[in-house]
Amino acid sequence: MRIAAVLLAALVGAVPAWAENRAVIIGNADYRSAPDLAGSDTMALAKALREAGFTTQQGVDLEARPLRRLLEALARADADPGAHIVALNGRFLHDADETWFMGTDADAPGPAAAGVQGVPLSLVMRLMAGGEPGSVLILGTDAQQMPHRPGLENGIGALRPPAGVSVVTGPPEAGARALAGLLGGATLAQATAGRALALLPEDAGNLRPVPSRNTADALADDRDAWAEAAVADGAPAYRDYLARYPQGIYAADARERLAQIGRAPGVRYADRAAWSQAVAADTAAAYATYLKEFPVGRHAGAGRKRLAELRPAPPARPASQPSPAVAAEQALSLGPVGRAAIQRQLSRLGRQPGPADGVFGPRTRLAIAAWQRANGLTATGHLTGPQVRMIAAQAEGSATDTAAQDRAFWQQSGAAGEAEGLRAYLDRYPQGIHAEAARRQLANAGRDTPQGDEATWRWARRQGSAAAYETYLERFPAGTHAPSARDRLATLRAGIEAARREEAGLGLAPSTRRLIEERLRIAGMQPGPADGEFTEETRAALRRYQAARNLRVTGYVTRQTVSGLLADVLR
């Protein structure tokens, strides 16, 4: 369940002002070579810690190098240390002596590479030591598997926290709730009770890293906040009260007053009134004011159209001969087929030129210019003959590298014919060179045996993906769990299709799409340029955002996703 910022904010307690309390919150959900992880709301947790007086660093989907840099905040000298809280949600690997928190770029490491692709928890705990009244390390993960080489195992191994450091392990959602309890002044035992969490050391239950507030003070603050809201008597004031005190003394009164305000004609028709004022003035400034107040209002489309009409158009360029760069590309006589081939090659090189439709529009020109800059060429956005051949050669080399990596991983994992290795290969390369062979071998290995049926079903459940359930059904079409697998597969497909239709039904205008991309960028999800085009890069950012906020992961804009993005901006 997603932990909303308003819930955490209400649980925040006072902390001593004379010591620096430090916190680091990291949520790694979108791994390149491992299943995604759904969990707690990293940004909301970081906000709550800041409001509790912690000097807080946070990160989402960090590779190993920035992961290490962020954790360096714990190593900074502190003459008067306060409490230290670190929450790490993601994938972990361990051997007999050490556990590593892995960066999102981890690529099937062995024992020697784990320290390069991740951060050892023994180091994290040493950096946390010395906090007063203590330090708490919260580790969140699930049972899904990350590819690795022999010598390592998935999950959190045996930990030996130093004196003064307590460790909480379990699902990310449960860890988030425990953190909320700690910020509310609970002891470790109280915060972790009944939440499927493990606590080390066992005698750390009495630790209270954040002092609890006096009950009388808390009630007085509640009454003061209500008095301020009642004096203002506006929707923002009542919403602010409920954000701070969702279960407060006057919460029911605040919700009733909000409902009354919402039914008032002045609010119901605010959009219409603002639009009428803009139409009456009929100036660019008036329409801009309307759009700023109602960016997705009933008349937003008409407002943007009229605003474009009122703003002066850019001066027309005088007719002239094409530039040398344009003339050089025109001389190539690239037809639609040739242009589409170049677009596919640029996509293979990671330049995102848009659909391979044979039309060199603005996105393709930007992709060409980016490729030119990356190769030390003048960024004109137009191609010469040698550049066309250079792109083709690089794309071919990229395809060769991908195929080589595919074959190399096959040798490491599935070539031996072991079921675990075959499944690891399919997790990483579901459409790979050896994918069909891997599925056939899985289908033939242990067919119709109860052990094979159960093992494959457990693996499919851990993966939770359509490809995993398809593999189970290919191997055991009449297996014990075949009806459940078909139901889950249908549900997954239906959920994604429903989300696609829901997005289509929203009728998102280009300006709204750009706004969504900008909100994703602010949230650290790397959606690419805010150009109103939902590319695969944008879809991946949406999936990362949905996984980080524990929403249904579809890669499409649903009303639930929009609500989350708007709530993030209001925080």
Side-chain angles (χ1 to χ4, degrees), residues 129-141:
E132 292 294 340
S135 302
V136 180
L137 175 61
I138 302 175
L139 306 175
T141 190

Side-chain angles (χ1 to χ4, degrees), residues 273-290 306-307 310:
W275 174 247
S276 298
Q277 293 176 5
V279 171
D282 198 32
T283 63
Y287 288 112
T289 299
Y290 169 80
R306 183 58 181 149
L307 183 60
L310 291 171

Side-chain angles (χ1 to χ4, degrees), residues 344-377:
R344 285 192 292 271
Q345 291 161 359
L346 287 168
S347 294
R348 201 173 299 154
L349 295 173
R351 295 298 168 186
Q352 291 134 12
D357 54 7
V359 178
F360 279 8
R363 292 191 60 197
T364 303
R365 294 298 178 192
L366 289 172
I368 291 172
W371 174 84
Q372 289 168 328
R373 281 192 295 271
N375 287 273
L377 304 170

Side-chain angles (χ1 to χ4, degrees), residues 430-510:
Q431 306 299 328
I433 299 170
H434 304 282
E436 288 304 318
R439 290 190 178 95
R440 283 196 301 271
Q441 291 185 50
L442 277 174
N444 293 329
R447 182 182 292 277
D448 299 330
T449 64
Q451 296 84 356
D453 186 324
E454 290 299 325
T456 307
W457 173 246
R458 287 195 299 271
W459 167 79
R461 287 286 304 278
R462 286 196 304 271
Q463 298 303 308
S465 65
Y469 290 119
E470 287 170 352
T471 299
Y472 172 84
L473 289 170
E474 286 177 5
R475 184 176 176 189
F476 298 101
T480 305
H481 305 283
S484 297
R486 292 189 181 92
D487 288 344
R488 291 173 184 268
L489 185 58
T491 300
L492 287 170
R493 289 172 174 169
I496 294 173
E497 175 60 20
R500 185 192 67 78
R501 292 181 179 178
E502 184 175 346
E503 180 184 289
L506 292 175
L508 302 174

Side-chain angles (χ1 to χ4, degrees), residues 6-297:
V6 295
L7 172 61
L8 289 172
L11 295 174
V12 171
V15 294
W18 56 85
E20 182 183 28
N21 296 326
R22 296 183 185 176
V24 176
I25 306 294
I26 299 174
N28 280 356
D30 187 12
Y31 280 82
R32 295 181 190 173
S33 303
D36 290 347
L37 176 77
S40 63
D41 190 333
T42 302
M43 298 305 177
L45 295 177
K47 180 176 183 291
L49 282 160
R50 288 193 183 92
E51 292 178 349
F54 281 75
T55 300
T56 305
Q57 306 287 332
Q58 82 275 351
V60 175
D61 292 336
L62 299 182
E63 297 181 353
R65 183 173 296 178
L67 179 63
R68 287 191 288 270
R69 284 200 299 268
L70 189 62
L71 287 167
E72 287 174 359
L74 296 169
R76 181 166 46 84
D78 187 1
D80 190 8
H84 293 165
I85 294 179
V86 176
L88 306 177
N89 293 320
R91 301 272 170 230
F92 298 82
L93 293 174
H94 72 273
D95 61 13
D97 301 312
E98 183 63 86
T99 297
W100 291 268
F101 178 55
M102 306 308 298
T104 56
D105 55 340
D107 187 11
V116 177
Q117 300 183 24
V119 176
L121 294 187
S122 60
L123 173 61
V124 175
M125 291 187 290
R126 285 200 301 273
L127 294 175
M128 294 175 64
E132 292 294 340
S135 302
V136 180
L137 175 61
I138 302 175
L139 306 175
T141 190
D142 58 25
Q144 297 194 83
Q145 303 294 299
M146 163 175 273
H148 57 80
R149 295 184 180 177
L152 293 178
E153 297 293 338
N154 276 283
I156 301 166
L159 300 178
R160 292 175 285 277
V165 177
S166 303
V167 182
V168 176
T169 61
E173 297 88 345
R177 288 187 176 276
L179 178 55
L182 294 177
L183 293 179
T187 64
L188 267 176
Q190 293 167 340
T192 56
R195 291 202 170 99
L197 294 168
L199 175 62
L200 287 175
E202 294 181 356
D203 60 356
N206 292 327
L207 175 65
R208 191 191 305 272
V210 182
S212 59
R213 303 198 61 192
N214 180 276
T215 302
D217 291 343
L219 293 175
D221 289 348
D222 188 330
R223 293 189 179 94
D224 290 344
W226 171 250
E228 294 174 3
V231 169
D233 196 32
Y238 290 117
R239 282 195 291 267
D240 181 64
Y241 171 81
L242 288 171
R244 294 170 61 189
Y245 300 99
Q247 306 298 327
I249 305 171
Y250 306 98
D253 296 327
R255 292 188 180 93
E256 181 179 354
R257 184 61 185 134
L258 271 176
Q260 293 171 352
I261 294 173
R263 290 192 294 269
V267 173
R268 193 189 316 164
Y269 302 115
D271 186 327
R272 182 185 300 175
W275 174 247
S276 298
Q277 293 176 5
V279 171
D282 198 32
T283 63
Y287 288 112
T289 299
Y290 169 80
L291 290 170
K292 182 177 181 180
E293 188 173 357
F294 298 97
V296 292

